[in-house]
């Protein structure tokens, strides 16, 4: 399949995952799924306008639901959120009737994240790139959660790192959609653009994994080891012969 693939379009960006060594037929189109922010609904707009200390948007992402986490973990988040001065927007499917929800916490099954946030943050590399902190789910406590939130809010380096990443993320010669269209049309114009493919796609699997080189070095090593063993054996036999000859002359 790799040999027949002319173009790869990846939704990645050096600002989020660092620089990668890609061949010419791999094009990054980060943010292509972004849309222009829609106006906030009346309730959410009122909530954010009244948030004098700022707003924290919290989400486990699309795969993990808040209702699936352990009850004590969910309660840890609620307790710490209730101690903060900021307004918390939590994307969660928890029922208000089942929990003691702090007054500064607002939960919904879905928030329009693009409308709320200034930029999209990939949490996987947040700590490595300096604009977030990673907490272990298994060892999460009220103290560690409060410390992490406070550190991110008070340390200006986190905000500076996010702003720097946002500038890198958005600084492109053309939009991701236009880039996708251009490169797809480029491949069509050049009948598959096979000249963009790296030579490795045409290499046999044993060459790709350097097995042929490994075999040559292994054979050479075995040959050298065999010769060394033979030389040692001959020297030992020679020494043994000389020793026996000396004893025979003495007798």
């Amino acid at each position: 399949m790799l040999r027949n693939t002319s173009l790869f379009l990846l939704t990645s960006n050096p600002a989020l995952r660092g620089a990668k060594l890609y061949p010419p037929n791999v094009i990054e189109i980060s943010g292509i799924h972004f849309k222009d922010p829609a106006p906030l609904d009346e309730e959410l707009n009122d909530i954010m306008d009244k948030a004098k200390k700022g707003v924290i948007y919290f989400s486990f992402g699309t795969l993990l639901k808040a209702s699936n986490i352990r009850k004590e973990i969910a309660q840890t988040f609620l307790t710490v959120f209730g101690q903060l001065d900021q307004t918390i927007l939590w994307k969660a499917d928890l029922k208000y009737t089942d929990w003691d929800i702090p007054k500064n916490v607002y939960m919904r099954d879905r928030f329009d994240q693009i409308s709320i946030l200034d930029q999209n943050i990939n949490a996987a590399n947040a700590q490595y790139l300096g604009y977030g902190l990673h907490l272990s789910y298994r060892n999460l406590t009220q103290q560690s959660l409060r410390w992490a939130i406070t550190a991110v809010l008070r340390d200006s380096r986190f905000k500076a790192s996010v702003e720097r990443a946002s500038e890198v993320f958005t600084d492109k010669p053309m939009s991701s959609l236009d880039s996708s269209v251009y490169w797809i049309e480029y491949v069509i114009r050049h009948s598959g653009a096979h000249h963009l493919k790296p030579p490795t796609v045409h290499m046999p699997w044993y060459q790709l994994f350097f097995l042929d080189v490994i075999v040559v070095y292994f054979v050479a090593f075995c040959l050298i080891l065999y010769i060394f063993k033979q030389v040692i054996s001959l020297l030992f036999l020679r020494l043994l012969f000389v020793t026996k000859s000396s004893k025979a002359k003495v007798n």
Side-chain angles (χ1 to χ4, degrees), residues 51-237:
K52 303 304 180 183
K53 297 291 186 177
V55 175
I56 296 176
Y57 175 71
F58 180 72
S59 171
F60 287 121
T62 57
L63 298 180
L64 179 61
K65 293 184 177 181
S67 58
N68 293 333
I69 65 175
R70 299 200 311 269
K71 186 174 182 178
E72 57 269 25
I73 295 296
Q75 188 58 57
T76 295
F77 282 107
L78 289 172
T79 301
V80 174
F81 288 162
Q83 298 170 353
L84 300 175
D85 295 329
Q86 289 75 21
T87 296
I88 312 298
L89 302 180
W90 187 2
K91 178 187 174 184
D93 56 344
L94 301 179
K95 296 181 179 179
Y96 275 84
T97 55
D98 297 338
W99 299 86
D100 183 16
I101 308 298
K103 294 181 179 180
N104 65 325
V105 176
Y106 298 88
M107 294 189 301
R108 288 186 182 181
D109 290 341
R110 180 185 177 277
F111 283 101
D112 189 344
Q113 181 171 312
I114 302 300
S115 300
I116 296 173
L117 301 179
D118 294 332
Q119 60 278 316
N120 181 51
I121 298 177
N122 189 329
N125 292 307
Q127 180 164 311
Y128 175 76
L129 295 175
Y131 52 80
L133 292 173
H134 175 265
L135 295 178
S136 173
Y137 174 80
R138 294 183 178 181
N139 300 322
L140 185 67
T141 63
Q142 293 185 23
Q143 291 75 17
S144 63
L145 180 60
R146 189 184 305 108
W147 167 81
I149 294 176
T150 303
V152 172
L153 290 175
R154 294 182 178 179
D155 194 335
S156 60
R157 291 177 297 179
F158 289 101
K159 182 180 180 181
S161 296
V162 170
E163 292 175 343
R164 184 167 57 251
S166 178
E167 292 177 359
V168 173
F169 190 94
T170 56
D171 191 356
K172 307 173 185 177
M174 65 179 74
S175 69
S176 294
L177 180 58
D178 290 340
S179 180
S180 301
V181 172
Y182 170 81
W183 283 107
I184 291 173
E185 292 179 344
Y186 180 93
V187 170
I188 295 173
R189 287 197 304 270
H190 295 279
S191 303
H194 299 289
H195 56 280
L196 296 180
K197 298 179 182 179
T200 52
V201 300
H202 303 292
M203 293 174 60
W205 63 271
Y206 57 86
Q207 288 186 345
L208 185 62
F209 292 100
F210 298 100
L211 294 183
D212 53 338
V213 177
I214 293 174
V215 169
V216 171
Y217 276 100
F218 179 75
V219 171
F221 174 77
C222 291
L223 182 60
I224 293 173
L225 187 63
Y226 174 77
I227 295 174
F228 179 76
K229 181 181 178 181
Q230 292 298 108
V231 170
I232 294 298
S233 298
L234 290 175
L235 291 176
F236 179 77
L237 292 175

Side-chain angles (χ1 to χ4, degrees), residues 25-40:
N25 65 334
V26 176
I27 308 299
E28 293 184 320
I29 53 169
S30 57
I32 192 172
H33 59 292
F34 289 176
K35 59 182 180 180
D36 293 333
L40 297 174

